[in-house]
Every structure is written in structure tokens, then in C-alpha cells.
Amino acid sequence: MQLKQFYLFFLLLLAACNVPTPSEEMAEGDSSDIFAFVDVNVLPMTGNSLSTGQTVIVKDGKIEAIGPAADIDVPAGATVLEASGKYLMPGLAEMHAHIPVPQEGNDALVRETLFLYLSRGVTTIRGMLGNPYHLELKKMIEQDSILSPRVFTSSPSLNGNTVPNAEEARRLVTQYQRDGYDFLKIHPGIPLEAFDEMAKTAREVGITFSGHVPQPVGIRHALDAQYASIDHLDGYLSGLASQEDWERLDNNIGFFGYRTVPYADANEIAVLAQQTKDNGVWIVPTQSLFTRWFSPVDPAAMANEPEMKYMSGRTRYQWRQSKQNAIGDAEYNEEQWKKMIDLRQQLLRALHEADVPLLLGSDAPQVFNVPGFSLEHEMNAMADAGISNAVILHSGTSNPARFFGQEGAFGTIQKGASADLLLLSGNPLEDLSQTWAQEGVMVRGYWMPKDMIDEQLREIAAAHAE
């Protein structure tokens, strides 16, 4: 597809977001299908190496060539991006995302949300609450009729209400696999018998499942059922307490096991980590959900953080109320929250040390997690837990492609891979904050320079100013 056509789609997106459009001169001037990043330092994320002084050629949305700048000829007619002293890395993946659906036929919020992801270099998202609309959205993205990150989508929620028994579990799993969803989304409340039928049917029809661990199932049974991924470390914290402790709490374990914290046996952490590895389960920590939504920080202060200006006043109000309700509970206290975070950090380190693969995800847009922007909080929370920069970066680049069985197709800089790229002013392997020093974002060969992104962000903020 010609880049000029891309700008047509970009104009449609911006119109839907009530933001200004690039000039016709810009659209005409950037009409090449071929780009050359010249004399750039490349972090291919095929390992932990860095290749300096490289030229990367992009054609028709894919990486066509990589090599020392002196050895690579820039094709005639290519758009040349002089990148001496800069760094090129793969686009990021948000592996626990939520995508809105149109309201009364209006998809403006959908397009705005997708742009927010792209504005921070998120070129792949895994939608974790599927809807039939998302199947159509995937088709639109594949046909380049909407500007968006690549999308993988879950089924609609499987939970205690939708899956009350084994018969309904078999019916829904079979239906969702036929509908074409990429995987099943598990929520709390599913009875054990229904869960086991769900897992059995999923194996039979060839679809994976991810998400929460229903309390009747428990973390050990869930791991043996071989989730594709367990998100939020759900079930792990409460799994450190005994059944007797659960009964002492009347089986009310609280927010992701918060009430079980005083009863946690840290000796069980290594056992759970090894069981996770043995069963091939991946982990999406969403640590920032707990360091932000569930932290004792004043909701009013968080509502005034710079990125909050990209969310509507209604959303900001709802987030303040949700956080206040969580931390205003009579049983909530800062010391127990600190212990909860400490246990989660121990779990995360143990899982990594057991060679359990990690996936970057922040549960955006969730309470005080703005799409795209929230991944910075998530990376920082993982670093605070003792995870290295290299492991964190792999969790958001090469690992998602491995997870979906598409290694080499995206998430790395190598010949034939999708041209999902971030041009940075510094090296994120040395300084993780450089991940956000983005001078431009390329998604499937479409180049979005920083000044254009910033202009659209300003207009989104203006639209939500109150």
C-alpha cells in the first residue's frame, strides 16, 4: 500500500478523534513505500546484542535489509531517515489491553484508544475482553482500513455467570473457537466442574485460554490445566495460604488475595514457580495494577498526572471513585499493601529465575492506566521487582511473537519481519527510560514522526479539557 493511502486512513482517524489532519503537503511529501534508517544503532531483540552503524531498509511494510551502513545501498526514491547516534528497536506489545466497542454506531472512542496505544510505540495489543466487533476490527486492520496496532483478541468473558455448568462451558468454548477468537478469556466464578470441561473442550477444539484463576479452581489446579498465560499473577498470592487459612477468612480472599497476605508462606513461592515452568504457562504480571490502582496514593493526585489529560472527565471521575473505594475499605492499610507488593515481587523474581517467560501488560485502560502511557509504569514496576532491562524489553517485543507462535513475524528487527519500529534518542538496554525517548513510531511500514504524534495528542487533550 502507498504511504499516501495510509495518510488517508490517518485523516479518517484524526477526524474521528476531532483532531487536526496532516497537511496535504506532508501527505504528498511522504508518499514513498520505501524507508531507510541510515547509520542507526539497532537493538534487534533476537538476543541482547546491539549492532552499531547500521542501515535498515523497509519496503511494503516489512524489513527488507539490515547491515552496516557502508554495505547497504539506499534504494532510489526511498524516504531517508538520518539516524546517526539514535537507536532502533521493535515496537512494543501491550499484552493485557482492553479495546472499546462503538457506542450507538460511533467508533470515535475506539479510534482514539488505538491512537493512544500507537502514540507511545505500542504496535501490538492483546485484547482481553472480546466482542464480535473486535473480530471485524481485526479484519479492518489486516485490510489497512484503520490505523491501529496489530490486534489479537480474546473471546467474550467466561465467568461464573456465563459458564455456570459443564454443558454451557462446552457450548461456549466450541462456539468461540468457530467464531474465530484467538483465545478464551477466563474470569472469576467458574465452578470447578465447568472449568475442567472448559479446559478439556479447549484442548479438543484447539483454542487456548488465559486470564484469571477462579477461586474454586485454585492456582495449582489451574497450572496443571495449562493456561496459555495467567494474568495479574492471579491465584498465586492466595495460593501461598493454606485451605485452613481460607476457611478462617470465610473464603473471602479479597482483592487478588489481599486478605491472605498475613497467612502467606513464602516457602511455597519456589514450588509454584517450578510448577508454572513445568506446565509451560506464561505470566503477564500487570504489576502496575497494584502499584497504582491499589496503592495508598491519593486518587486526586493521580488524576492530575500529565497523561490523564488524554482521558475524558467522566473516566477520570470514575477512576478516582474506584480507587477511593478500594483503598477506603476498613480492612485496607498501607503496611499490608506493602507486604502484598513485596510478595508479588518475590513471586515475579522466582518465576523469572525458574525460566518462566514474561509478557508485558498493564491492563489499560484500567484505573489510572492510560493506553500506551501505562506501559512505562509497568516497566518501572518490573524493574523495581529486580527484573533486568533486557528481560523487560524482551517481554514487550520478542516474547509476544513467541507466545503466539509467530517468532520472526514481528517483535524483532530481522529480514522479513513486520516493520514495527521505534526510533529512540538513547539506549533502553542501558537506561529503561529511553524506551520513551521516541522520535517516531513505525507501524507496519507507516511512519509517524514525533511532531505529528504530539500534535494529535494535544488535540485529544484539548477535546477532553474541562
Side-chain angles (χ1 to χ4, degrees), residues 125-183:
I125 52 181
R126 184 175 72 138
M128 292 301 291
L129 187 58
N131 179 281
Y133 167 77
H134 296 142
L135 297 176
E136 296 303 314
L137 177 64
K138 284 190 62 174
K139 292 178 184 177
M140 289 191 285
I141 295 167
E142 290 163 3
Q143 295 165 0
D144 285 328
S145 60
I146 186 171
L147 178 64
S148 171
R150 171 186 298 101
V151 166
F152 296 92
T153 182
S154 81
S155 69
S157 172
L158 298 176
N159 57 64
N161 294 322
T162 61
V163 187
N165 53 54
E167 180 182 3
E168 193 63 11
R170 172 168 286 275
R171 186 188 72 80
L172 284 180
V173 170
T174 303
Q175 175 188 323
Y176 291 152
Q177 188 275 335
R178 288 175 179 169
D179 288 344
Y181 291 101
D182 295 304
F183 61 99

Side-chain angles (χ1 to χ4, degrees), residues 230-460:
I230 290 178
D231 294 49
H232 317 297
L233 288 176
D234 196 12
Y236 281 86
L237 198 61
S238 54
L240 300 178
S242 68
Q243 184 60 45
E244 290 76 13
D245 295 325
W246 282 30
E247 291 171 359
R248 189 178 294 115
L249 296 169
D250 295 324
N251 286 309
N252 177 10
I253 63 174
F255 186 77
F256 290 95
Y258 171 77
R259 297 188 76 218
T260 67
V261 165
Y263 306 99
D265 179 0
N267 293 320
E268 290 297 305
I269 289 176
V271 176
L272 288 177
Q274 190 58 50
Q275 188 179 356
T276 306
K277 172 62 177 177
D278 292 344
N279 283 288
V281 179
W282 294 57
I283 294 296
V284 189
T286 70
Q287 189 76 343
S288 56
L289 199 67
F290 304 88
T291 59
R292 291 180 62 73
W293 181 7
F294 206 55
S295 75
V297 177
D298 181 7
M302 294 184 73
N304 287 318
E305 291 175 342
E307 69 247 42
M308 297 303 152
K309 62 180 173 285
Y310 304 122
M311 308 306 292
S312 71
R314 179 180 180 182
T315 295
R316 295 194 298 268
Y317 173 77
Q318 290 173 337
W319 285 359
R320 288 197 303 270
Q321 293 300 108
S322 181
K323 180 174 174 61
Q324 188 57 56
N325 290 340
I327 67 176
D329 185 271
E331 293 192 354
Y332 183 88
N333 67 79
E334 186 171 350
E335 286 306 310
Q336 190 159 321
W337 169 78
K338 288 179 178 178
K339 179 61 175 175
M340 181 185 196
I341 296 300
D342 178 64
L343 286 167
R344 288 181 59 87
Q345 290 178 337
Q346 290 184 56
L347 281 161
L348 191 52
R349 288 194 298 271
L351 288 160
H352 170 58
E353 290 164 4
D355 201 28
V356 173
L358 305 178
L359 295 166
L360 186 68
S362 66
D363 205 351
Q366 189 52 272
V367 178
F368 291 119
N369 274 349
V370 175
F373 294 81
S374 58
L375 282 187
E376 181 172 4
H377 302 301
E378 184 64 23
M379 283 187 171
N380 290 340
M382 292 176 73
D384 288 343
I387 307 301
S388 71
N389 291 356
V391 170
I392 293 169
L393 291 170
H394 277 289
S395 76
T397 55
S398 60
N399 280 7
R402 288 175 50 213
F403 176 78
F404 285 114
Q406 297 188 28
E407 191 169 7
F410 66 93
T412 49
I413 300 179
Q414 59 188 105
K415 186 175 181 180
S418 180
D420 304 323
L421 304 168
L422 307 182
L423 185 62
L424 311 177
S425 59
N427 184 353
L429 281 174
E430 295 180 351
D431 177 0
L432 199 59
S433 69
Q434 292 300 316
T435 309
W436 315 108
Q438 297 171 5
E439 302 196 5
V441 176
M442 179 170 278
V443 53
R444 299 188 303 282
Y446 306 145
W447 176 241
M448 302 168 60
K450 183 179 187 298
D451 57 354
M452 182 189 298
I453 291 172
D454 287 348
E455 176 61 22
Q456 313 325 318
L457 287 175
R458 281 192 290 272
E459 293 297 328
I460 291 173

Side-chain angles (χ1 to χ4, degrees), residues 1-4 6-7 26-27 29-38 55-66 72-82 88 419 421 441-449:
M1 170 181 289
Q2 293 291 322
L3 192 63
K4 187 174 180 179
F6 154 68
Y7 274 107
M26 180 181 291
D30 287 344
S31 60
S32 171
D33 277 342
I34 307 174
F35 286 83
F37 294 87
V38 177
T55 287
V56 178
I57 305 297
V58 171
K59 182 177 180 181
D60 297 331
K62 294 188 180 297
I63 297 169
E64 184 173 75
I66 311 169
I72 299 291
D73 293 327
V74 176
T79 297
V80 176
L81 299 170
E82 295 290 350
L88 198 66
L421 304 168
V441 176
M442 179 170 278
V443 53
R444 299 188 303 282
Y446 306 145
W447 176 241
M448 302 168 60

